[in-house]
Amino acid sequence: MKIQVDHLTRYHYDQPVRGVVQSHRLTPSRCTGQRVVRWDVSVSGGIKGGGFRDGAGDWVQAWTVTGPVSEIAVQVRGEVSTTDQSGVLRGHRETIPSVAWLRATSPTRADAALTELAQSATGDALTLAHALADAVADAIAYRPGATHAHTTAAEALALGEGVCQDHAHALIACARVRDMPARYVSGYLFADAQGNDHEAAHAWAEVWVDGLGWIGFDPANRCCPDDRYIRLGAGSDARAAAPIRGIARGSGVESLEVTVAVEAVQQ
Amino acid sequence: MIDFFNEMYDAGGVRPPYAKLRDWMDTMPAELRSLKQAEAEALFRRIGITFAVYGEGGDPDRLIPFDMFPRVFAHAEWRRLERGIKQRARALNAFLADVYDRGEIVRAGRIPKRLVYLNEAYEKAVAGIRPPKGVYSHIVGIDLVRTGPDEFYVLEDNCRTPSGVSYMLENREIMMRMFPDLFGANRIEPVDSYPSLLRRTLASVAPEKCPGDPTVVILTPGHFNSAYYEHSFLADLMGVELVEGQDLFVEGEHVWMRTTRGPERVDVIYRRIDDPFLDPLCFRPDSMLGVPGLMDVYRAGGVAIASAPGAGVADDKAIYCYVPEMVRFYLGEEPILENVPTWQCAKPDELKHVLANLPELVVKEVHGSGGYGMLVGPKASKEQIEAFRAKLTEQPHNYIAQPTLALSTVPTFVEEGVAPRHVDLRPYCLVGERIELVPGGLTRVALTEGSLVVNSSQGGGVKDTWVMAE
């Protein structure tokens, strides 16, 4: 299908800041089943910095804004043509070996409860990965506002509620308990009329299955990513895989406003 | 009783490189000696070189004792060491370039993949990024001990930011000031070219994006750091700016330094800040020491960082065991310098051996440093040994064990006159477009009689290190 994205992030500072530095992972991954028709990222008043493909295969683009500035708008507009790959990441070149994704970070560290949840699943590698995704979906109900940006997988499980970020963190933690490399993926999701109530700026997890490679799992929607998904990039956790990371120099307090529209292009 | 190699005397009498020092020692009146010792101390105090070596912590204002009796290498001895050190520095850099690229050594099964990729010092953030000239560790500090005329062992490698080189330079400076005649009588290779070689090495790795004469800076965490003296000392001698994170900023494709003449582009950063603090955007978000956005500029080829972020994966104690393998794999050569045989207590068989031989072994924590938390079997009491036995049984992963090395001795001034004391050596190998090694290094000496622990936190001192000219 053809998916159109219009994603605007507005940063507002209550006092002008001296400058802003951002690191973007906002370009669709180069992989089978995902073809960019057009794609444009702009930063108001921004100077484009260097760009490079990182070890996970993602395009990272640096931007700086010279102050004083009190408002910045990051605008992403594009269109991607997708085909369903049943969640399997194909044709994606990366340097980091899968085993390196076994290292836990603080939001994805397994506590006793996550370990127990992970041990409850059985089956061969692929079956196990599916079972873990189901177990996470069963254990953490989708409820926006229940958690925040810094909630850990362990906290979300204890709470029994969370959003896609918490689902992804919990699945990563569980997979690692079972010695399966796992990572956080950020991207966009086109939700049709029957779809659940979730954000169009989405996140899920990828689990490494020997013989098959990286396979995406979206516990929040109880499925594997298909042609409704656009993959942007991966990292150890939400922070590492964030589409936009930034820091402002100065004492101004930042507030953020995000609007995302992901729509199917009428054929 | 272990037989220790005395670097000055052997069965045949005084070894040749020390010949002239013997007269110097024999003819020095006791009063002059204590006078000179006091003078040396006053000089060290005046220049303010009081920092702790190798980040051992402790009182930052403590003066590390300087022993006036030099440690001497014959020309031929040094040439062999030099070949061995350069070989090791090349292999360590080849390893780093490999594990951040295709990982051929891991694919070939020559080093366990989890040891590399699950190592805390392996940085995913720099995988697939080739630093300028492919160099990761630009200053390699290799800690060596000697056990015989031709036997040297590498104790550990330091690929990040090895400290202590200012001692090498200051020890020489002070010796020359106090005993100019000695330097007339002996033909000693100079070490004072180190700062200009360091500068040249750093300039040689400037990124291609930076045309013209590269601007080099030293990035320090600040004056509260125990090695701040060394940072400012090196900046002075190299004629480069000493900066803190707040003096730099990122704009567009480059890193800039604030100056009174306006922003100046920075091409090479010799950082004395650890990886996690370099860039809050990439590593620890709470770090105030680094430069936001620095890693993106670096990864896009806009600035060089020495040592390269992620270089620490080559000098981990667990990786150490595989360095000889790296020499064979990447260089196709046999290692000139040997490793100390090491038992990894995490392996049940090796743990068994260690537990059965504790009184003869040295046991170290895998992540320890500074000579703390280690057991020197032959020097330990029964209680200490039993305490370690319990620790090893409980947490074998935390420990490695090595045979107690018969560290060589060098004559040292002590209360009663001159007596042999155990020493080690840290040379500083520079890797850029070329590999350079100043003839010398930092000799540390265990001042307590019989002690094998040279760390300054455990009663160690330093000596001037001479390499005789041909």
Side-chain angles (χ1 to χ4, degrees), chain A residues 18 20-25 47-56 60-66 95-103 176 179 235-236 239 245-247 249, chain B residues 99-102 113-114 116-129 209 248-253 258 279-285 292-293 295-297 299-300:
Chain A
R18 282 179 287 133
V20 174
V21 179
Q22 291 193 339
S23 182
H24 291 177
R25 202 175 264 101
I47 306 168
K48 203 170 184 177
F52 57 93
R53 199 160 290 283
D54 73 4
V60 178
Q61 179 64 52
W63 286 89
T64 48
V65 180
T66 310
T95 314
I96 300 170
S98 59
V99 68
W101 299 98
L102 278 170
R103 237 161 85 190
R176 284 176 186 156
D179 205 35
S236 303
R239 196 180 87 86
R245 285 166 87 165
I247 288 183
R249 287 200 313 271
Chain B
V99 298
Y100 287 114
D101 189 20
R102 285 185 44 81
K113 95 180 151 187
R114 290 185 181 226
V116 176
Y117 297 116
L118 296 183
N119 195 293
E120 261 179 59
Y122 174 80
E123 294 289 4
K124 283 206 275 284
V126 298
I129 304 298
K209 266 194 195 178
L248 302 179
F249 66 96
V250 165
E251 191 173 284
E253 297 189 42
R258 293 173 222 283
D279 176 0
L281 212 51
C282 185
F283 300 119
R284 275 180 63 159
M295 285 301 292
D296 277 0
V297 177
R299 294 187 290 180

Side-chain angles (χ1 to χ4, degrees), chain A residues 9-17 20 22 44 69-74 248 251-258:
Chain A
T9 310
R10 251 182 219 290
Y11 296 84
H12 180 79
Y13 302 94
D14 66 348
Q15 285 172 51
V17 291
V20 174
Q22 291 193 339
S44 60
V69 61
S70 49
E71 196 170 274
I72 294 170
V74 179
S251 52
V253 177
E254 179 182 288
S255 54
L256 188 68
E257 190 193 321
V258 185

Side-chain angles (χ1 to χ4, degrees), chain A residues 133-160:
Chain A
D134 290 343
V136 166
D138 290 342
I140 302 175
Y142 179 77
R143 194 164 84 82
T147 52
H148 53 83
H150 302 293
T151 302
T152 66
E155 288 163 355
L157 179 62
L159 202 64

Side-chain angles (χ1 to χ4, degrees), chain B residues 238-249:
Chain B
M238 286 200 286
V240 305
E241 292 293 331
L242 178 66
V243 299
E244 296 182 24
Q246 63 200 19
D247 301 322
L248 302 179
F249 66 96

Side-chain angles (χ1 to χ4, degrees), chain B residues 55-118:
Chain B
E56 291 171 336
D59 176 8
D61 294 325
R62 183 193 52 210
L63 197 66
I64 294 178
F66 170 71
D67 179 68
M68 300 185 296
F69 205 107
R71 195 251 184 107
V72 192
F73 288 103
H75 188 78
E77 287 173 343
W78 180 258
R79 288 299 159 237
R80 184 172 153 260
L81 274 184
E82 183 184 31
R83 285 205 319 277
I85 292 160
K86 287 182 172 177
Q87 180 192 54
R88 203 160 167 113
R90 270 192 296 146
L92 289 164
N93 270 292
F95 171 73
L96 287 163
D98 183 26
V99 298
Y100 287 114
D101 189 20
R102 285 185 44 81
E104 301 289 359
I105 197 165
V106 175
R107 290 165 194 251
R110 306 283 278 271
I111 178 166
K113 95 180 151 187
R114 290 185 181 226
L115 202 60
V116 176
Y117 297 116
L118 296 183

Side-chain angles (χ1 to χ4, degrees), chain A residues 5-51:
Chain A
V5 174
D6 195 337
H7 174 195
L8 176 69
T9 310
R10 251 182 219 290
Y11 296 84
H12 180 79
Y13 302 94
D14 66 348
Q15 285 172 51
V17 291
R18 282 179 287 133
V20 174
V21 179
Q22 291 193 339
S23 182
H24 291 177
R25 202 175 264 101
L26 276 174
T27 309
S29 305
R30 277 207 290 214
C31 56
T32 311
Q34 201 165 272
R35 189 177 60 81
V36 171
V37 178
R38 55 183 173 83
W39 198 263
D40 182 58
V41 180
S42 66
V43 178
S44 60
I47 306 168
K48 203 170 184 177

